[in-house]
Structures are given as structure tokens and as C-alpha cells.
Amino acid sequence: MILYKYVSFKTALDIIENASIAFSCIEDLNDPFECTALGFSDGEMSASMVTNAYRSRFSRNYALLSLTREPLNPLMWAHYGDSHQGVAIGIDVEKAGLTCPQSSIIPAQYGEVIYTASKPKFSNFEHYTEELMNIGKDATGFNSDFYNITKRAFLYKSSEWSYEEEVRVVKRLVDSPYGYHSEGGTFSNVSGDWIQKKPKSLGRPIYCLQIPKDSIVNVYLGRYVYKNISRTKTTTEIEFANFKELCRGRGIALNRCEPDVHSWKLNEVKV
């Protein structure tokens, strides 16, 4: 299964050079409704207070990778591909270890986001203090019993986001000697998957998972990727040439996106 990550050109170069992919925490995502579909009802504590408590625990103890099925989605290019000036990177998720049930609490094959027009109600779902405090202390890998709550936390989104066709991979951070507010350092979780924590970017930590070089299988260049050289000057011709040579040297297929003159679709053109 090939899934895609839309990024800027600079980020794409970093991903391919270092064979690593960034994971984010819930609180650092662009949807303020993340992890609010838990369906708590008011009791001794308000549903809002309980939901926020769970959201905070999930955000501090787990990191997720957002991928998509479609590399030729114009909206994805506009929103995540640097306004069509970036790159969509194709990752073989099996080769990358992202389908491994021992190293992810939600591996890729279970990570398809569920889009709903209204927020789901779980009237029979009650919270327990012990359960809340144990979030992040569960077994490292996929746990079918725990999947019910992790699915509610990570995989429910409004139908307005359905154009993303998102698939997520979720990993634990609890085994790291570094917390959400710390900077620098590397760590390994129990299964041995190495994750590098880079210095904070815009006030947030970034966790980078090392993946095999051959798991990056193809690259799509945005329609306006050359503006990085001609207008914004954020990339030199030499850097761009080196990027293409790096891809070719690793057997990564290179494509570019071209608008179809007969429809609103993007076409794939080999470079």
C-alpha cells in the first residue's frame, strides 16, 4: 500500500536525505476538534472537562503521522503542498514498518479516518480515573480492546475534512526520556523503532521516525514547484538538480502534476 505525504520542497528534501518522517501531537494539528469525539456525558464532572483531560493525556503520550491515498488532489496541494509549490512523497507503508501492529497503537491498516456529518454519541461510554491515568501506559503495540477509545480519539473527524482521504499511524511517546516540553534528544520505544526529536519548530516538538530508504518509492512535484527557484528564491537550481539526482539515485520515481485542459483534475506526467 502506497500512501502520500504533502510537504514543502525543503521538507521533502529533508525527508528523502534523512529517510525520516515527522509525527505530530494532537494539540499541534490544524483542527481544533481533534480528540473531541469521545462522547462523554455530563456527570460529576462536565463532559467538556473530561474530554479536555483525555485530550491532554493523548496529546502528551502519543504522536501521529497523517498520510493520504491520493497524490493528485488539488485541494491537498493547495492546503498542504505549499500552494502547489511543494512535493507529495509516496511511501510504501509496509516497507516503512507503518503496518506493524507491535510498534504502533494504530498501524496504517487500521488508521483510516472516519468522517461524519455530526459528532458521534457514545451514551454508554463512561470514563474512569484509572483509565485516564493509564493512557500512554498501555502495551506498546496495537491492542484491540484499547482500539475502541484510540479510534474515538484519533480517527473521527468532521465530514468537511473528507477531501483529505486521510490515513493515520499512531505511536507512543511515553518511552521517551524527553517530555512534550523538552528539546532535543533521541529515543527508542520498546519495539526498537528509533524516533528523533528535533528542536521545537514554532513552539512545538517534532518527532521524526527513521524509515528504510527504499520505502520512499515515488515523488510528485507540484505544478508550481519551479517558483521556488524563479520567484521565491527559496531553492537554487543546484539544490533542485541535486534533489532530482538524489531521487533517481535511490530509484524513486519522479513525476510532476499538470492541470488537465478538459477537466478540473491534475494529470501525472513523468519527469
Side-chain angles (χ1 to χ4, degrees):
M1 179 167 59
I2 309 300
L3 296 176
Y4 295 87
K5 184 70 176 177
Y6 287 81
V7 293
S8 68
F9 180 81
K10 289 288 189 182
T11 299
L13 180 58
D14 184 62
I15 289 172
I16 294 173
E17 280 186 333
N18 298 299
S20 66
I21 192 81
F23 281 62
S24 301
C25 295
I26 284 175
E27 293 182 1
D28 299 319
L29 301 178
N30 60 357
D31 181 5
F33 291 97
E34 293 283 359
C35 198
T36 63
L38 295 168
F40 294 116
S41 56
D42 291 319
E44 293 182 7
M45 296 176 63
S46 70
S48 176
M49 290 179 65
V50 177
T51 297
N52 287 334
Y54 270 76
R55 189 175 189 272
S56 178
R57 292 287 293 180
F58 272 113
S59 189
R60 294 301 186 269
N61 289 300
Y62 299 101
L64 64 91
L65 170 65
S66 296
L67 301 169
T68 183
R69 299 182 182 281
E70 177 56 60
L72 296 171
N73 185 319
L75 277 178
M76 291 293 288
W77 277 106
H79 297 163
Y80 301 103
D82 193 18
S83 300
H84 294 261
Q85 297 175 79
V87 175
I89 296 178
I91 299 172
D92 185 319
V93 291
E94 284 89 0
K95 287 184 179 180
L98 299 176
T99 58
C100 175
Q102 285 75 45
S103 61
S104 300
I105 68 154
I106 300 181
Q109 66 270 33
Y110 294 105
E112 188 166 344
V113 169
I114 302 163
Y115 301 101
T116 62
S118 57
K119 191 172 288 188
K121 308 296 182 188
F122 302 99
S123 57
N124 62 339
F125 185 41
E126 297 180 359
H127 83 278
Y128 299 95
T129 302
E130 182 180 356
E131 178 185 68
L132 173 62
M133 298 310 295
N134 282 330
I135 289 175
K137 297 179 181 179
D138 57 289
T140 302
F142 177 73
N143 184 326
S144 58
D145 294 330
F146 192 59
Y147 180 59
N148 198 28
I149 187 172
T150 55
K151 180 170 68 174
R152 295 170 188 171
F154 293 107
L155 300 184
Y156 275 92
K157 295 193 71 172
S158 165
S159 57
E160 294 166 333
W161 296 90
S162 61
Y163 74 92
E164 293 184 345
E165 295 187 75
E166 186 177 358
V167 177
R168 291 178 167 181
V169 178
V170 182
K171 289 181 176 288
R172 292 204 317 166
L173 299 178
V174 70
D175 300 302
S176 166
Y178 307 97
Y180 182 85
H181 296 289
S182 65
E183 297 188 23
T186 60
F187 68 90
S188 173
N189 64 24
V190 172
S191 68
D193 286 326
W194 285 95
I195 301 176
Q196 180 181 10
K197 186 175 181 185
K198 292 186 174 181
K200 292 185 179 182
S201 173
L202 300 177
R204 67 185 181 94
I206 300 176
Y207 304 87
C208 291
L209 175 69
Q210 294 293 314
I211 57 177
K213 292 180 179 179
D214 64 353
S215 65
I216 300 174
V217 295
N218 57 24
V219 160
Y220 287 78
L221 302 176
R223 174 66 177 85
Y224 300 127
V225 70
Y226 295 101
K227 283 185 179 179
N228 293 301
I229 301 171
S230 62
R231 289 191 183 180
T232 65
K233 308 294 185 181
T234 56
T235 303
T236 66
E237 291 187 11
I238 293 176
E239 286 176 320
F240 193 75
N242 289 341
F243 175 83
K244 291 192 289 186
E245 285 303 312
L246 178 62
C247 290
R248 293 189 178 111
R250 294 190 181 173
I252 300 171
L254 271 170
N255 308 282
R256 61 182 175 86
C257 299
E258 188 71 31
D260 190 294
V261 296
H262 302 295
S263 72
W264 300 117
K265 296 181 180 180
L266 289 171
N267 290 327
E268 169 189 326
V269 180
K270 291 185 178 179
V271 175

